[in-house]
Amino acid sequence: MAPAETVQIPFLTAAEALTPKLSYTEERPKDVVTFVPDDKAFLRHTKVVQYNASRLEDKWFSSGDEFIVDFGGHRTGYLSFYLDAQGENVDCPARLRLTFGEVPGDVVEDFYPSKSWISTSWFPHEEAKIDELPGQVNIPRRHAFRYVRVQVLEVSSKFKICFRKIKCYAVTSACKKVAPVEGCDFNLIDTVGLRTLRDCMQTVFEDGPRRDRRLWLGDLRLQALVNYVTFQNNDLVKRCLYLFAGLRMDQKVMASLYERPEPRVSGDYILDYELLFVVTLLEYVEATNDISTGRELFGICQNILERNHQEYIKDGIFQMKPGVWYFIDWHDDLDRFASMQAVFVIAFKAAQSLANKLDIGVDYTEDIRLLSEGSLALYDEDKGIFLSNGQISWASQAWMGLAHVLPQEQHVRAIQIAMQNPNAIRANTPYCYHYVLEALFKNGARDACLALAKDYFGGMVDRGADTYWEAYREDDSTFSPYDDHHNNSFCHAWSCTVSWFLRL
Amino acid sequence: MAPAETVQIPFLTAAEALTPKLSYTEERPKDVVTFVPDDKAFLRHTKVVQYNASRLEDKWFSSGDEFIVDFGGHRTGYLSFYLDAQGENVDCPARLRLTFGEVPGDVVEDFYPSKSWISTSWFPHEEAKIDELPGQVNIPRRHAFRYVRVQVLEVSSKFKICFRKIKCYAVTSACKKVAPVEGCDFNLIDTVGLRTLRDCMQTVFEDGPRRDRRLWLGDLRLQALVNYVTFQNNDLVKRCLYLFAGLRMDQKVMASLYERPEPRVSGDYILDYELLFVVTLLEYVEATNDISTGRELFGICQNILERNHQEYIKDGIFQMKPGVWYFIDWHDDLDRFASMQAVFVIAFKAAQSLANKLDIGVDYTEDIRLLSEGSLALYDEDKGIFLSNGQISWASQAWMGLAHVLPQEQHVRAIQIAMQNPNAIRANTPYCYHYVLEALFKNGARDACLALAKDYFGGMVDRGADTYWEAYREDDSTFSPYDDHHNNSFCHAWSCTVSWFLRL
């Protein structure tokens, strides 16, 4: 039997009512630029400013001409311009190619051929044929970009075109002005984080405004955390919780969902993400004191825990099953057993806290005890670290640290030992890195956490990030979970949590 | 000094008020087809029906797949479809290429590289990126087509797409139902003519709905003639006359103009077209008895004649000047001197008739006498034909025939002698062919005219025309005035006049 979609209309109706109003801001490009290949630059290119973008008003272009505008910062929005045309005879349409760049490689490197295993239809280019010249051109698709490469593919030889009043109507549901963190040297690092979250906050928390433009449960938790201490659009978190609650499949809260054309789940299910629904709801209730939402959705948390406990836990030990997606990180070599064990502990503890807060009489004490015991069995006392089927990884230490199965200082030490081990499986994404940082923080190592955050996120900024990237390895700017860095997202909300740590 | 545009607002206001309401009709495709290369077929391909287009509802497509739908006939309109998507996960946009074919070559031959000297931006293809799936897709650009090739360029491997409810919203301002010609074996030939005019009749008489989508004065005269005896949207003729009158440059009525984004002239000026403005106005007044419009625009006719007489006529003889566009036909080798001489006679005679009808006291008798004498000087009594700088052409005989400078039977004979001469410069376009036919008709050779029309237009129908083509040479389907047949228009209103002859 095909899995049944469990659509709960009241939850969807609640979500619909919480759809935020988007704010639109007009942004003008700063410069017309080129990029010079540069082996020494992390992003492989160095920008050269050609002239101020206001001078485009005097530039006339023919077939084969092109230019790149730099908006000076990343935005999610809609491109528009007035396409002027002058000459002996404006006698045909103009065919343009527009390529939207979050990073320089987007606008100067060839997309094809590609080895990407996700669809190349994500590549941020499109053709526009403009029939009526001169005239206003509003590109109807939303894009995420700092740079736009404009190529004049075909016009006639009888006229030239001029791109006037190029603009981006930047769009977001993050409307509140956020104060910078007082007395800290993280200002730019924080700004990049806030910008990242702002550009992902639309009518849901999108993972990335370029790709997938989709609400993912694992990403939601991190975005929500940052949101509570910055933009405080808490109804957007609530809306997303109701969407996940309203669109389950075979009772499962799925890993991601789409809003349009109408809300629906994707086919993706990720066990650790589903367990994090419980944590996300707890944190929402803690941030808002919205007890009624907590009560309304607590039944789903119970279902998540009890169903998955029955399916995956035997004698307090997580049982890996083939064909199930455990995310933890984008890393081919990572053994996820220990991390998953820890996620179970975390979810049960969160549910217990939530039940206590909501005054609901459930008692997971025994489950927590058994799962914690199972976790401790993975701890190698001699080495001072958790092993996952013998493997040492940052992720295992991080998740166990958040499960709090040992005294704080031992968790901190486990993380530090793993990070100092060159053979350990490291974090490939800011998502996984976040959990390393959070585990340090929550185990009392605030300074170590911030130093590491400064090093990591500051490193991304130093290497050219306007917004934080979905995937980041300091040693390889072309690393991609999708086998092609052109399909990476360079404004990815799961990477914005430095702005949370700075405000704790 | 740059030529000044003489914009006459009252004329433009009158034109604006006459903008017709367009009718929209929903058309469904008939079949899904392929084309097999065929040396024996005039259009180089033979159509093979694969299945009824209704079966597309059951077909699912992936990256690299494609199909061609055949709407069963030519329409000008807007393509739309519901793009369904199903699979494990509908996780990315769909990138499509759409190619709109008036003839088979459009959808199965490569457009690039092209030798066309007019812009290749006219090639009828475009890319569409659809972000929200499943969903309704309305292609915003208007196209002219019978066939649509749909290529699925990029989707992910996780889902397939299905094209449901493919439609064309066909659009025209030719709304009147036209009765077929009684008792004639020209029915199909007439139908193709009516369809051609219908698809060119929009908010102006366009030359071709695919290219140039523009109001040309020379084309207007022929469209207006057919319109008076068929669709009878006479206000559309009036609107076009006012547009030309309202948008002159240095007093000249220009050859063509654009409606959008706002009415404006193109840079093209054609002397013979300007002179035909007088003929077009006369015929409009004759068809409608709209004396007031005739009076309002007669001053422009006087200006056309007197200005051009002063500039081009010396002792009753037309003086060719370099750098001026005399159209007559798309033919590189045609000598246009005799034709232009005749056009002057025709225009002066038309102006005299119009003045008489409008009761305006002008007398062009002496001009007509001198121009006619000048015309007769080109007549070779021995050969029985008009020579243009020694050259024999169909065009010279046709235009002289309409100038009526000889007895009717001598004009008919001149045309027939030229047409029988294999070395004569023949007609390359239905525009020029029209004037051969009209000259036969107006000189009493109705049967010869209709026989030739049947042969010529019937030949186009036999060779696969759904609508009449802009350029047609029976011996070469790839003949193009633009050095690339892919830039020809295959629904071109100047080719629809057979439907006028049949109703005279």
Side-chain angles (χ1 to χ4, degrees), chain B residues 283-333:
Chain B
E283 289 164 345
Y284 169 75
V285 173
E286 286 174 343
T288 61
N289 212 29
D290 178 358
I291 300 295
S292 105
T293 296
R295 287 211 174 114
E296 201 164 19
L297 300 180
F298 189 77
I300 291 175
C301 297
Q302 283 181 288
N303 174 279
I304 291 170
L305 293 179
E306 290 160 22
R307 174 171 35 81
N308 287 317
H309 189 282
Q310 191 171 357
E311 186 149 0
Y312 291 98
I313 304 298
K314 198 176 162 193
D315 302 331
I317 303 286
F318 174 65
Q319 310 292 311
M320 296 283 276
K321 298 201 172 190
V324 180
W325 187 2
Y326 315 110
F327 179 66
I328 306 299
D329 194 8
W330 280 122
H331 204 307
D332 289 343
D333 301 326

Short mmCIF file of all heavy atoms in Angstrom, two decimals, chain B residues 283-333:
data_model
loop_
_atom_site.label_atom_id
_atom_site.label_comp_id
_atom_site.label_asym_id
_atom_site.label_seq_id
_atom_site.Cartn_x
_atom_site.Cartn_y
_atom_site.Cartn_z
N GLU B 283 -9.55 53.95 -51.25
CA GLU B 283 -10.30 52.69 -51.17
C GLU B 283 -11.09 52.59 -49.86
O GLU B 283 -12.19 52.04 -49.83
CB GLU B 283 -9.34 51.50 -51.32
CG GLU B 283 -8.84 51.40 -52.77
CD GLU B 283 -7.61 50.52 -52.95
OE1 GLU B 283 -6.93 50.19 -51.95
OE2 GLU B 283 -7.30 50.17 -54.11
N TYR B 284 -10.52 53.15 -48.79
CA TYR B 284 -11.26 53.16 -47.52
C TYR B 284 -12.54 53.99 -47.66
O TYR B 284 -13.62 53.57 -47.25
CB TYR B 284 -10.38 53.73 -46.39
CG TYR B 284 -11.16 54.02 -45.14
CD1 TYR B 284 -11.59 52.98 -44.32
CD2 TYR B 284 -11.53 55.32 -44.81
CE1 TYR B 284 -12.35 53.23 -43.18
CE2 TYR B 284 -12.30 55.58 -43.69
CZ TYR B 284 -12.71 54.53 -42.87
OH TYR B 284 -13.47 54.79 -41.76
N VAL B 285 -12.41 55.16 -48.29
CA VAL B 285 -13.59 56.02 -48.45
C VAL B 285 -14.61 55.36 -49.38
O VAL B 285 -15.82 55.39 -49.13
CB VAL B 285 -13.17 57.42 -48.95
CG1 VAL B 285 -14.39 58.27 -49.29
CG2 VAL B 285 -12.31 58.13 -47.89
N GLU B 286 -14.11 54.70 -50.41
CA GLU B 286 -15.02 53.99 -51.31
C GLU B 286 -15.75 52.86 -50.59
O GLU B 286 -16.94 52.62 -50.80
CB GLU B 286 -14.24 53.42 -52.51
CG GLU B 286 -13.84 54.50 -53.52
CD GLU B 286 -12.94 53.96 -54.64
OE1 GLU B 286 -12.36 52.86 -54.49
OE2 GLU B 286 -12.80 54.66 -55.66
N ALA B 287 -15.04 52.17 -49.73
CA ALA B 287 -15.65 51.02 -49.06
C ALA B 287 -16.63 51.45 -47.97
O ALA B 287 -17.61 50.74 -47.70
CB ALA B 287 -14.55 50.13 -48.45
N THR B 288 -16.37 52.59 -47.36
CA THR B 288 -17.15 52.95 -46.17
C THR B 288 -18.02 54.19 -46.37
O THR B 288 -18.91 54.43 -45.57
CB THR B 288 -16.18 53.28 -45.00
OG1 THR B 288 -15.37 54.40 -45.40
CG2 THR B 288 -15.30 52.09 -44.66
N ASN B 289 -17.68 54.96 -47.38
CA ASN B 289 -18.31 56.27 -47.58
C ASN B 289 -18.10 57.19 -46.38
O ASN B 289 -18.92 58.08 -46.10
CB ASN B 289 -19.81 56.11 -47.87
CG ASN B 289 -20.29 57.21 -48.81
OD1 ASN B 289 -19.50 57.71 -49.62
ND2 ASN B 289 -21.54 57.61 -48.70
N ASP B 290 -16.98 56.99 -45.69
CA ASP B 290 -16.65 57.82 -44.52
C ASP B 290 -15.95 59.09 -45.02
O ASP B 290 -14.73 59.23 -44.98
CB ASP B 290 -15.74 57.00 -43.59
CG ASP B 290 -15.28 57.77 -42.37
OD1 ASP B 290 -15.62 58.97 -42.24
OD2 ASP B 290 -14.56 57.17 -41.55
N ILE B 291 -16.77 60.02 -45.48
CA ILE B 291 -16.27 61.24 -46.11
C ILE B 291 -15.46 62.08 -45.12
O ILE B 291 -14.44 62.67 -45.47
CB ILE B 291 -17.47 62.08 -46.65
CG1 ILE B 291 -18.26 61.27 -47.71
CG2 ILE B 291 -16.99 63.41 -47.23
CD1 ILE B 291 -17.51 60.95 -48.97
N SER B 292 -15.90 62.06 -43.87
CA SER B 292 -15.24 62.96 -42.92
C SER B 292 -13.79 62.53 -42.68
O SER B 292 -12.89 63.36 -42.61
CB SER B 292 -16.06 63.07 -41.63
OG SER B 292 -15.49 62.34 -40.59
N THR B 293 -13.55 61.22 -42.56
CA THR B 293 -12.16 60.76 -42.44
C THR B 293 -11.37 61.11 -43.71
O THR B 293 -10.22 61.54 -43.65
CB THR B 293 -12.13 59.24 -42.17
OG1 THR B 293 -12.74 58.99 -40.92
CG2 THR B 293 -10.71 58.70 -42.16
N GLY B 294 -12.00 60.90 -44.83
CA GLY B 294 -11.35 61.24 -46.10
C GLY B 294 -10.91 62.70 -46.11
O GLY B 294 -9.76 63.01 -46.45
N ARG B 295 -11.81 63.57 -45.67
CA ARG B 295 -11.48 65.00 -45.68
C ARG B 295 -10.38 65.31 -44.68
O ARG B 295 -9.48 66.11 -44.94
CB ARG B 295 -12.73 65.82 -45.33
CG ARG B 295 -13.74 65.85 -46.47
CD ARG B 295 -14.54 67.14 -46.50
NE ARG B 295 -15.40 67.16 -47.70
CZ ARG B 295 -16.73 67.13 -47.67
NH1 ARG B 295 -17.37 67.11 -46.51
NH2 ARG B 295 -17.41 67.15 -48.80
N GLU B 296 -10.45 64.65 -43.54
CA GLU B 296 -9.47 64.93 -42.49
C GLU B 296 -8.05 64.56 -42.93
O GLU B 296 -7.08 65.20 -42.57
CB GLU B 296 -9.85 64.17 -41.21
CG GLU B 296 -9.23 64.75 -39.97
CD GLU B 296 -9.91 64.25 -38.69
OE1 GLU B 296 -10.61 63.21 -38.73
OE2 GLU B 296 -9.74 64.89 -37.66
N LEU B 297 -7.96 63.48 -43.71
CA LEU B 297 -6.63 63.00 -44.09
C LEU B 297 -6.21 63.41 -45.49
O LEU B 297 -5.09 63.11 -45.92
CB LEU B 297 -6.59 61.46 -43.95
CG LEU B 297 -6.89 60.92 -42.54
CD1 LEU B 297 -6.83 59.40 -42.52
CD2 LEU B 297 -5.90 61.50 -41.52
N PHE B 298 -7.09 64.10 -46.22
CA PHE B 298 -6.73 64.43 -47.60
C PHE B 298 -5.51 65.35 -47.68
O PHE B 298 -4.69 65.24 -48.60
CB PHE B 298 -7.91 65.06 -48.35
CG PHE B 298 -7.62 65.21 -49.82
CD1 PHE B 298 -7.68 64.11 -50.66
CD2 PHE B 298 -7.24 66.44 -50.36
CE1 PHE B 298 -7.38 64.23 -52.02
CE2 PHE B 298 -6.92 66.56 -51.71
CZ PHE B 298 -7.00 65.46 -52.54
N GLY B 299 -5.37 66.23 -46.71
CA GLY B 299 -4.22 67.14 -46.70
C GLY B 299 -2.90 66.37 -46.70
O GLY B 299 -1.92 66.80 -47.32
N ILE B 300 -2.88 65.25 -46.01
CA ILE B 300 -1.66 64.44 -46.00
C ILE B 300 -1.40 63.87 -47.39
O ILE B 300 -0.25 63.81 -47.85
CB ILE B 300 -1.79 63.32 -44.93
CG1 ILE B 300 -1.77 63.97 -43.54
CG2 ILE B 300 -0.68 62.30 -45.08
CD1 ILE B 300 -2.02 63.01 -42.40
N CYS B 301 -2.46 63.49 -48.09
CA CYS B 301 -2.30 62.98 -49.45
C CYS B 301 -1.70 64.06 -50.35
O CYS B 301 -0.77 63.81 -51.13
CB CYS B 301 -3.64 62.53 -50.03
SG CYS B 301 -4.37 61.16 -49.13
N GLN B 302 -2.22 65.26 -50.22
CA GLN B 302 -1.68 66.36 -51.03
C GLN B 302 -0.20 66.57 -50.74
O GLN B 302 0.62 66.73 -51.63
CB GLN B 302 -2.43 67.65 -50.70
CG GLN B 302 -3.80 67.73 -51.35
CD GLN B 302 -4.48 69.05 -50.99
OE1 GLN B 302 -4.89 69.24 -49.85
NE2 GLN B 302 -4.58 69.95 -51.96
N ASN B 303 0.10 66.54 -49.44
CA ASN B 303 1.50 66.73 -49.06
C ASN B 303 2.38 65.62 -49.65
O ASN B 303 3.47 65.88 -50.16
CB ASN B 303 1.60 66.75 -47.53
CG ASN B 303 3.03 66.80 -47.05
OD1 ASN B 303 3.71 65.78 -47.00
ND2 ASN B 303 3.51 67.99 -46.74
N ILE B 304 1.90 64.40 -49.57
CA ILE B 304 2.67 63.27 -50.12
C ILE B 304 2.97 63.51 -51.60
O ILE B 304 4.10 63.36 -52.07
CB ILE B 304 1.89 61.94 -49.94
CG1 ILE B 304 1.83 61.55 -48.46
CG2 ILE B 304 2.51 60.83 -50.78
CD1 ILE B 304 0.88 60.38 -48.18
N LEU B 305 1.93 63.86 -52.34
CA LEU B 305 2.09 63.98 -53.79
C LEU B 305 2.96 65.16 -54.17
O LEU B 305 3.87 65.05 -54.99
CB LEU B 305 0.71 64.10 -54.45
CG LEU B 305 -0.15 62.84 -54.34
CD1 LEU B 305 -1.50 63.06 -55.01
CD2 LEU B 305 0.56 61.65 -54.98
N GLU B 306 2.67 66.28 -53.56
CA GLU B 306 3.37 67.49 -53.99
C GLU B 306 4.83 67.47 -53.55
O GLU B 306 5.72 67.83 -54.31
CB GLU B 306 2.59 68.72 -53.51
CG GLU B 306 1.28 68.83 -54.31
CD GLU B 306 0.18 69.69 -53.68
OE1 GLU B 306 0.50 70.55 -52.84
OE2 GLU B 306 -1.01 69.47 -54.05
N ARG B 307 5.05 67.00 -52.32
CA ARG B 307 6.44 66.89 -51.84
C ARG B 307 7.24 65.92 -52.70
O ARG B 307 8.36 66.21 -53.14
CB ARG B 307 6.42 66.46 -50.37
CG ARG B 307 7.76 66.16 -49.78
CD ARG B 307 7.71 65.94 -48.25
NE ARG B 307 6.52 65.28 -47.76
CZ ARG B 307 6.31 63.94 -47.79
NH1 ARG B 307 7.24 63.16 -48.31
NH2 ARG B 307 5.20 63.44 -47.31
N ASN B 308 6.67 64.77 -52.98
CA ASN B 308 7.43 63.77 -53.73
C ASN B 308 7.54 64.12 -55.21
O ASN B 308 8.52 63.77 -55.87
CB ASN B 308 6.80 62.39 -53.56
CG ASN B 308 7.08 61.84 -52.17
OD1 ASN B 308 8.20 61.95 -51.67
ND2 ASN B 308 6.05 61.27 -51.53
N HIS B 309 6.53 64.79 -55.72
CA HIS B 309 6.62 65.24 -57.11
C HIS B 309 7.81 66.18 -57.25
O HIS B 309 8.65 66.03 -58.16
CB HIS B 309 5.32 65.94 -57.53
CG HIS B 309 5.26 66.23 -59.00
ND1 HIS B 309 5.93 67.28 -59.60
CD2 HIS B 309 4.61 65.59 -60.01
CE1 HIS B 309 5.70 67.28 -60.90
NE2 HIS B 309 4.90 66.26 -61.19
N GLN B 310 7.88 67.10 -56.32
CA GLN B 310 8.99 68.05 -56.36
C GLN B 310 10.34 67.35 -56.22
O GLN B 310 11.31 67.71 -56.87
CB GLN B 310 8.79 69.06 -55.22
CG GLN B 310 9.73 70.24 -55.33
CD GLN B 310 9.38 71.34 -54.31
OE1 GLN B 310 8.41 71.22 -53.56
NE2 GLN B 310 10.16 72.39 -54.30
N GLU B 311 10.36 66.34 -55.41
CA GLU B 311 11.65 65.70 -55.12
C GLU B 311 12.05 64.67 -56.20
O GLU B 311 13.24 64.50 -56.47
CB GLU B 311 11.59 65.01 -53.75
CG GLU B 311 12.92 64.46 -53.31
CD GLU B 311 13.11 64.48 -51.79
OE1 GLU B 311 12.17 64.94 -51.09
OE2 GLU B 311 14.17 64.03 -51.33
N TYR B 312 11.08 64.00 -56.79
CA TYR B 312 11.43 62.85 -57.62
C TYR B 312 11.05 62.96 -59.10
O TYR B 312 11.45 62.11 -59.89
CB TYR B 312 10.77 61.57 -57.07
CG TYR B 312 11.35 61.13 -55.76
CD1 TYR B 312 10.72 61.44 -54.56
CD2 TYR B 312 12.55 60.41 -55.72
CE1 TYR B 312 11.26 61.04 -53.35
CE2 TYR B 312 13.09 60.01 -54.51
CZ TYR B 312 12.45 60.33 -53.32
OH TYR B 312 12.99 59.94 -52.13
N ILE B 313 10.21 63.93 -59.46
CA ILE B 313 9.71 63.97 -60.84
C ILE B 313 10.31 65.16 -61.58
O ILE B 313 10.24 66.30 -61.10
CB ILE B 313 8.17 64.05 -60.86
CG1 ILE B 313 7.55 62.88 -60.08
CG2 ILE B 313 7.67 64.06 -62.31
CD1 ILE B 313 7.85 61.49 -60.62
N LYS B 314 10.89 64.86 -62.75
CA LYS B 314 11.41 65.93 -63.59
C LYS B 314 10.85 65.71 -64.99
O LYS B 314 11.03 64.62 -65.56
CB LYS B 314 12.95 65.87 -63.59
CG LYS B 314 13.58 67.16 -64.06
CD LYS B 314 15.10 67.10 -63.95
CE LYS B 314 15.68 68.19 -64.84
NZ LYS B 314 17.11 68.01 -65.02
N ASP B 315 10.14 66.67 -65.50
CA ASP B 315 9.53 66.55 -66.83
C ASP B 315 8.70 65.28 -66.95
O ASP B 315 8.78 64.56 -67.96
CB ASP B 315 10.61 66.57 -67.92
CG ASP B 315 11.45 67.85 -67.86
OD1 ASP B 315 10.90 68.89 -67.41
OD2 ASP B 315 12.65 67.78 -68.19
N GLY B 316 7.97 64.96 -65.92
CA GLY B 316 7.09 63.80 -65.96
C GLY B 316 7.81 62.45 -65.82
O GLY B 316 7.19 61.39 -65.92
N ILE B 317 9.09 62.49 -65.53
CA ILE B 317 9.88 61.24 -65.43
C ILE B 317 10.42 61.09 -64.01
O ILE B 317 10.97 62.04 -63.44
CB ILE B 317 11.09 61.27 -66.40
CG1 ILE B 317 10.65 61.50 -67.85
CG2 ILE B 317 11.92 59.98 -66.27
CD1 ILE B 317 10.00 60.31 -68.50
N PHE B 318 10.24 59.88 -63.47
CA PHE B 318 10.73 59.56 -62.13
C PHE B 318 12.26 59.56 -62.12
O PHE B 318 12.90 58.98 -63.00
CB PHE B 318 10.19 58.19 -61.70
CG PHE B 318 10.75 57.72 -60.39
CD1 PHE B 318 10.48 58.40 -59.21
CD2 PHE B 318 11.56 56.59 -60.34
CE1 PHE B 318 11.00 57.96 -58.01
CE2 PHE B 318 12.07 56.15 -59.13
CZ PHE B 318 11.79 56.84 -57.96
N GLN B 319 12.82 60.20 -61.11
CA GLN B 319 14.28 60.28 -60.97
C GLN B 319 14.71 59.38 -59.81
O GLN B 319 14.40 59.66 -58.65
CB GLN B 319 14.70 61.72 -60.67
CG GLN B 319 14.11 62.78 -61.62
CD GLN B 319 14.66 62.66 -63.04
OE1 GLN B 319 15.88 62.58 -63.23
NE2 GLN B 319 13.77 62.61 -64.03
N MET B 320 15.41 58.31 -60.12
CA MET B 320 15.91 57.44 -59.05
C MET B 320 16.95 58.19 -58.23
O MET B 320 17.82 58.83 -58.80
CB MET B 320 16.59 56.19 -59.64
CG MET B 320 15.71 55.26 -60.43
SD MET B 320 14.67 54.20 -59.39
CE MET B 320 15.80 52.86 -59.00
N LYS B 321 16.88 58.05 -56.92
CA LYS B 321 17.90 58.67 -56.07
C LYS B 321 18.56 57.58 -55.22
O LYS B 321 17.87 56.65 -54.77
CB LYS B 321 17.27 59.69 -55.14
CG LYS B 321 16.60 60.82 -55.88
CD LYS B 321 16.45 62.04 -54.99
CE LYS B 321 15.97 63.20 -55.86
NZ LYS B 321 16.02 64.47 -55.15
N PRO B 322 19.83 57.71 -55.04
CA PRO B 322 20.50 56.68 -54.22
C PRO B 322 20.06 56.78 -52.75
O PRO B 322 19.66 57.86 -52.30
CB PRO B 322 21.97 57.01 -54.36
CG PRO B 322 22.01 58.46 -54.71
CD PRO B 322 20.76 58.76 -55.48
N GLY B 323 20.11 55.67 -52.08
CA GLY B 323 19.85 55.68 -50.63
C GLY B 323 18.38 55.72 -50.26
O GLY B 323 18.05 55.84 -49.09
N VAL B 324 17.50 55.67 -51.26
CA VAL B 324 16.08 55.64 -50.93
C VAL B 324 15.58 54.22 -51.17
O VAL B 324 15.98 53.56 -52.13
CB VAL B 324 15.28 56.64 -51.82
CG1 VAL B 324 13.80 56.61 -51.48
CG2 VAL B 324 15.85 58.04 -51.65
N TRP B 325 14.71 53.76 -50.28
CA TRP B 325 14.19 52.40 -50.41
C TRP B 325 12.93 52.42 -51.27
O TRP B 325 11.92 53.01 -50.91
CB TRP B 325 13.89 51.84 -49.02
CG TRP B 325 13.50 50.40 -48.98
CD1 TRP B 325 13.41 49.51 -50.02
CD2 TRP B 325 13.14 49.65 -47.81
NE1 TRP B 325 13.03 48.27 -49.58
CE2 TRP B 325 12.85 48.32 -48.22
CE3 TRP B 325 13.04 49.96 -46.46
CZ2 TRP B 325 12.47 47.32 -47.33
CZ3 TRP B 325 12.65 48.96 -45.58
CH2 TRP B 325 12.37 47.66 -46.01
N TYR B 326 13.03 51.82 -52.48
CA TYR B 326 11.86 51.55 -53.32
C TYR B 326 11.61 50.06 -53.15
O TYR B 326 12.47 49.26 -53.52
CB TYR B 326 12.14 51.88 -54.79
CG TYR B 326 12.85 53.21 -54.96
CD1 TYR B 326 14.18 53.27 -55.38
CD2 TYR B 326 12.19 54.41 -54.68
CE1 TYR B 326 14.83 54.48 -55.51
CE2 TYR B 326 12.84 55.63 -54.81
CZ TYR B 326 14.17 55.66 -55.23
OH TYR B 326 14.82 56.85 -55.35
N PHE B 327 10.45 49.68 -52.64
CA PHE B 327 10.31 48.27 -52.32
C PHE B 327 9.93 47.42 -53.54
O PHE B 327 10.70 46.61 -54.01
CB PHE B 327 9.30 48.05 -51.18
CG PHE B 327 9.15 46.58 -50.88
CD1 PHE B 327 10.22 45.87 -50.36
CD2 PHE B 327 7.98 45.90 -51.18
CE1 PHE B 327 10.11 44.51 -50.13
CE2 PHE B 327 7.87 44.53 -50.95
CZ PHE B 327 8.94 43.83 -50.43
N ILE B 328 8.69 47.52 -54.01
CA ILE B 328 8.14 46.79 -55.16
C ILE B 328 8.16 45.27 -54.96
O ILE B 328 7.14 44.59 -55.11
CB ILE B 328 8.85 47.16 -56.49
CG1 ILE B 328 8.81 48.70 -56.70
CG2 ILE B 328 8.22 46.43 -57.68
CD1 ILE B 328 7.42 49.33 -56.80
N ASP B 329 9.30 44.71 -54.61
CA ASP B 329 9.39 43.26 -54.33
C ASP B 329 10.70 43.01 -53.58
O ASP B 329 11.61 43.85 -53.60
CB ASP B 329 9.39 42.47 -55.65
CG ASP B 329 9.14 40.97 -55.45
OD1 ASP B 329 8.81 40.56 -54.31
OD2 ASP B 329 9.26 40.22 -56.43
N TRP B 330 10.75 41.85 -52.90
CA TRP B 330 12.05 41.40 -52.38
C TRP B 330 12.77 40.73 -53.52
O TRP B 330 12.56 39.54 -53.78
CB TRP B 330 11.86 40.40 -51.25
CG TRP B 330 11.53 40.95 -49.90
CD1 TRP B 330 10.43 40.66 -49.15
CD2 TRP B 330 12.32 41.84 -49.11
NE1 TRP B 330 10.47 41.33 -47.95
CE2 TRP B 330 11.63 42.07 -47.89
CE3 TRP B 330 13.54 42.50 -49.30
CZ2 TRP B 330 12.11 42.89 -46.88
CZ3 TRP B 330 14.02 43.33 -48.28
CH2 TRP B 330 13.31 43.52 -47.09
N HIS B 331 13.58 41.47 -54.24
CA HIS B 331 14.31 40.89 -55.37
C HIS B 331 15.57 41.70 -55.60
O HIS B 331 15.50 42.87 -55.92
CB HIS B 331 13.43 40.88 -56.62
CG HIS B 331 13.83 39.83 -57.61
ND1 HIS B 331 15.12 39.70 -58.08
CD2 HIS B 331 13.11 38.84 -58.20
CE1 HIS B 331 15.18 38.68 -58.91
NE2 HIS B 331 13.98 38.14 -59.00
N ASP B 332 16.69 41.05 -55.44
CA ASP B 332 17.97 41.78 -55.55
C ASP B 332 18.20 42.34 -56.94
O ASP B 332 18.88 43.36 -57.10
CB ASP B 332 19.14 40.83 -55.19
CG ASP B 332 19.16 40.52 -53.71
OD1 ASP B 332 18.52 41.26 -52.93
OD2 ASP B 332 19.80 39.52 -53.32
N ASP B 333 17.68 41.66 -57.96
CA ASP B 333 18.03 42.06 -59.34
C ASP B 333 17.00 42.95 -60.00
O ASP B 333 17.19 43.39 -61.13
CB ASP B 333 18.21 40.79 -60.20
CG ASP B 333 19.30 39.90 -59.63
OD1 ASP B 333 20.28 40.43 -59.07
OD2 ASP B 333 19.16 38.65 -59.72
#
